[in-house]
Amino acid sequence: QVQLVESGGGSVQAGGSLRLSCAASGYTYFVNCMAWFQQAPGKEREGVASIHEDGTTNYADSMKGRFTISQDSAKNTLYLQMNSLKPEDTAMYYCAAESRFGGMRSCPVTPDEYNYWGQGTQVTVSS
């Protein structure tokens, strides 16, 4: 089992920045993909970005440019740097992990591909 705990969410004005963190514990040795997802009220959960254990990143097309995913393997921590935030970025942000993609060049940003999830951290952007 892998446990994931997100932090760093909060309220910010449009144009501001936030950095989300996701601390992983448990059987992290087997994890080869981690990702961030967002879910706005009344909408389906959608992918933001993923990162392979070798550092290869993959971004959802709509998320390219303002968000940056990174990881600190020594600390078992995943990050999401969010810049130039917009009110439409308001959502719950979830961290996810998976151990089935070791042979892949990059990790998916599809929610159904991930089995381990955190509880989420809320991001609210006001205009």
Side-chain angles (χ1 to χ4, degrees), residues 69-125:
I69 190 171
S70 62
Q71 63 187 357
D72 185 333
S73 299
K75 296 182 179 179
N76 288 324
T77 302
L78 179 72
Y79 302 101
L80 183 68
Q81 179 66 43
M82 309 166 68
N83 298 328
S84 302
L85 284 162
K86 304 175 181 180
E88 51 263 43
D89 295 322
T90 294
M92 187 73 80
Y93 285 76
Y94 295 91
C95 167
E98 185 51 60
S99 59
R100 299 181 292 119
F101 302 122
M104 296 179 64
R105 291 187 174 183
S106 66
C107 298
V109 285
T110 308
D112 291 347
E113 299 285 3
Y114 290 82
N115 283 310
Y116 302 107
W117 291 88
Q119 294 301 307
T121 185
Q122 177 68 39
V123 171
T124 302
V125 184

Side-chain angles (χ1 to χ4, degrees), residues 2-9 20-26 28 34 36 75-79 93-97 116-121:
V2 177
Q3 293 80 43
L4 303 170
V5 179
E6 301 95 335
S7 62
L20 307 183
S21 299
C22 172
S25 61
T28 58
M34 296 190 75
W36 287 101
K75 296 182 179 179
N76 288 324
T77 302
L78 179 72
Y79 302 101
Y93 285 76
Y94 295 91
C95 167
Y116 302 107
W117 291 88
Q119 294 301 307
T121 185

